[in-house]
C-alpha cells in the first residue's frame, strides 16, 4: 500500500481550505471483521461523527487529517476491506431524510 501521508499532500493542502484552515471529510468503510470494525469506529469517533452505519463526517485540521491518513491502515485488511476518505464542502452537500448536523468544534482525543 502506498504511503498516503507522503504521497498525497495535495489532498491535504488543497487551496480551498486556506480560508478556514479546516477540512470537512467523509470517511466510508467496509471492514469484514467485527473486532477490527469496532476499533476503527472508536478511532474515528475521536475525530468526527457517525452519520450512517459505515460513514463518518469530520471537520479536522490539516495535522489531524495527516494523523488519520497515517493511522487508518492499521484498521484495514488490504485483501478484504476498503476505506475511503472524501474531501467535502458542507455547502455542497444535499441531505435527504434524517439530518445529522456537523459542527466545527474542538474534539479532544484521549
Amino acid at each position: 500500500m502506498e504511503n498516503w501521508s507522503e504521497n498525497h499532500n495535495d489532498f491535504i493542502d488543497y487551496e480551498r481550505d486556506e480560508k478556514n484552515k479546516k477540512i470537512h471529510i467523509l470517511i466510508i468503510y467496509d471492514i469484514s471483521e467485527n473486532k477490527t470494525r469496532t476499533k476503527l469506529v472508536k478511532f474515528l469517533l475521536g475525530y468526527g461523527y457517525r452519520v450512517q452505519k459505515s460513514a463518518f463526517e469530520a471537520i479536522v485540521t490539516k495535522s489531524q487529517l495527516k494523523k488519520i491518513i497515517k493511522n487508518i491502515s492499521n484498521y484495514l485488511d488490504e485483501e478484504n476491506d476498503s476505506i475511503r476518505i472524501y474531501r467535502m464542502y458542507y455547502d455542497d452537500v444535499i441531505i435527504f431524510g434524517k439530518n445529522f448536523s456537523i459542527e466545527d468544534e474542538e474534539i479532544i482525543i484521549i
Side-chain angles (χ1 to χ4, degrees), residues 58-102:
I59 300 171
V60 295
T61 64
K62 288 180 183 181
S63 63
Q64 288 173 320
L65 180 55
K66 286 179 183 180
K67 194 176 214 179
I68 291 169
I69 290 170
K70 180 180 177 188
N71 291 297
I72 204 131
S73 63
N74 295 331
Y75 306 96
L76 177 71
D77 173 354
E78 291 184 33
E79 301 277 327
N80 299 305
D81 301 336
S82 171
I83 302 173
R84 294 177 178 236
I85 302 174
Y86 293 93
R87 300 173 57 85
M88 298 183 356
Y89 301 96
Y90 205 72
D91 56 340
D92 293 339
V93 176
I94 300 172
I95 300 170
F96 297 92
K98 185 177 178 182
N99 183 5
F100 195 94
S101 179
I102 303 299

Side-chain angles (χ1 to χ4, degrees), residues 3-14 66 87:
N3 187 335
W4 268 78
S5 59
E6 291 176 7
N7 297 328
H8 292 82
N9 286 328
D10 54 337
F11 182 83
I12 295 167
D13 293 327
Y14 188 69
K66 286 179 183 180
R87 300 173 57 85

